[in-house]
Amino acid sequence: MAKKEKEMPKEQEVTLFDKTYKESELSDEQKVMINHVADLDRKINSSEFNLQQLRFGKQAFLDALKASVEKEDSEEKEEKQ
């Protein structure tokens, strides 16, 4: 039976400012900064998603409020006639 050779995992690469670097070429400080940037990107995307929900929810409440006020106004006009 032939012995299978274990494949070495390919070293991670990262592209920064249009240039590709191997992870081993980066300092620990640079790796931390990359992780911060990635985390901030996730948080920004999440915040934009939440803001979209909030704006949509606000508009739904405004639409419901407008419909309610217009309905009451219409009912008051009918009562006066």
Side-chain angles (χ1 to χ4, degrees), residues 11-13 21-27 31:
E11 185 173 3
Q12 293 282 352
E13 293 182 341
Y21 299 88
K22 291 182 180 179
E23 188 175 354
S24 61
E25 297 173 329
L26 301 171
S27 70
K31 292 175 192 175

Side-chain angles (χ1 to χ4, degrees), residues 14 16 26-27 29-39:
V14 63
L16 302 170
L26 301 171
S27 70
E29 182 182 24
Q30 290 167 333
K31 292 175 192 175
V32 168
M33 286 187 270
I34 289 168
N35 288 333
H36 279 294
V37 169
D39 186 49

Side-chain angles (χ1 to χ4, degrees), residues 4-52:
K4 289 186 178 179
E5 289 185 36
K6 291 185 179 179
E7 288 185 30
M8 295 294 291
K10 187 176 177 183
E11 185 173 3
Q12 293 282 352
E13 293 182 341
V14 63
T15 301
L16 302 170
F17 314 109
D18 299 323
K19 186 174 176 186
T20 302
Y21 299 88
K22 291 182 180 179
E23 188 175 354
S24 61
E25 297 173 329
L26 301 171
S27 70
D28 288 342
E29 182 182 24
Q30 290 167 333
K31 292 175 192 175
V32 168
M33 286 187 270
I34 289 168
N35 288 333
H36 279 294
V37 169
D39 186 49
L40 289 165
D41 276 339
R42 282 189 296 274
K43 288 178 180 178
I44 288 167
N45 289 333
S46 178
S47 293
E48 287 174 344
F49 182 81
N50 289 335
L51 183 57
Q52 185 180 32

